[in-house]
Amino acid sequence: METATGQKGMTLRSIKNKILVMSGKGGVGKSTVAVNIARSLEKMNFRVGMMDIDIHGPSLEKMLNIEDKNLMQTPDGFMVPIAVNENFYAATIASLLENDSTPVIWRGPMKSNFINQMFDSFKWPELDYLVIDCPPGTGDEHLTIIQTIGIVTGAVIVSTPQEIACVDVKKAINFLNQMSVNIFGIVENMSYYECPECKSKIEIFKKGGIEKLTNEFKLPLLGSLPIDTAIGESCENGSSIMENTKASKSAEIFKEITAKIVKSITGKQACSQTA
């Protein structure tokens, strides 16, 4: 697809802050954390975009309930990210696939080319934050997005508590350090399960890995999320736990995590801005 010269620069100038959500490890709930940070930012009345660069296992389409929405094209040939609502936009390769079971069988150069196209051929609106959901590992996709953006505002690292997960997470942290990307901190996902009857906390995974990570790399713990059915249900049906009428402890933790990120960027206590 041909694009106008300089469109990437125009797009990047329209996005104030770019946040990577990474882990290095698969299955730790990275996409769940990315989506709910974006939802929290939206709840604070920021204009938010989400980009899914997990090309082989995209999750945003279902998690944002945009499976029935099609990508539109402008008269001058650019693709338009899907409007989840008037303040929330998303782009994912899932919107271009025949169905949700269609595999993407691409080598590295094709993946890098597609990520570049998400800036070259997608006309992003003006955004306060673009949250980028990264795949596991530290490969082509991660290098390409960082090189394309130029300056990443910062990254959030996601891990489960056990040390076996933290081994891969260390690689992601070292990768970001080598790429000179600021790390806001670590989110501990699936930290515990709270018994609905006695309210005691049951640690499903062996603890200790996250504490070692924060100490070794001098990174703050942004928050510890429980194993919560409300999170799973919101991901399955594409809703936001921020909008749930029933009080959700997990929603409050996500809000606290997001407030810390915003404060780290602005240097000010986060609060809802006027629309």
Side-chain angles (χ1 to χ4, degrees), residues 110-146:
M110 292 186 70
K111 292 189 284 186
S112 297
N113 182 60
F114 176 76
I115 293 169
N116 277 307
Q117 288 292 307
M118 293 180 96
F119 283 110
D120 288 337
S121 298
F122 280 70
K123 203 164 197 175
W124 289 88
E126 289 190 5
L127 299 173
D128 295 303
Y129 292 92
L130 178 67
V131 179
I132 302 166
D133 183 18
C134 299
T138 53
D140 291 309
E141 297 95 324
H142 310 82
L143 281 168
T144 301
I145 196 67
I146 290 171

Side-chain angles (χ1 to χ4, degrees), residues 172-183:
I173 294 172
N174 283 322
F175 166 82
L176 290 168
N177 286 336
Q178 289 182 39
M179 299 299 292
S180 301
V181 174
N182 175 52
I183 301 174

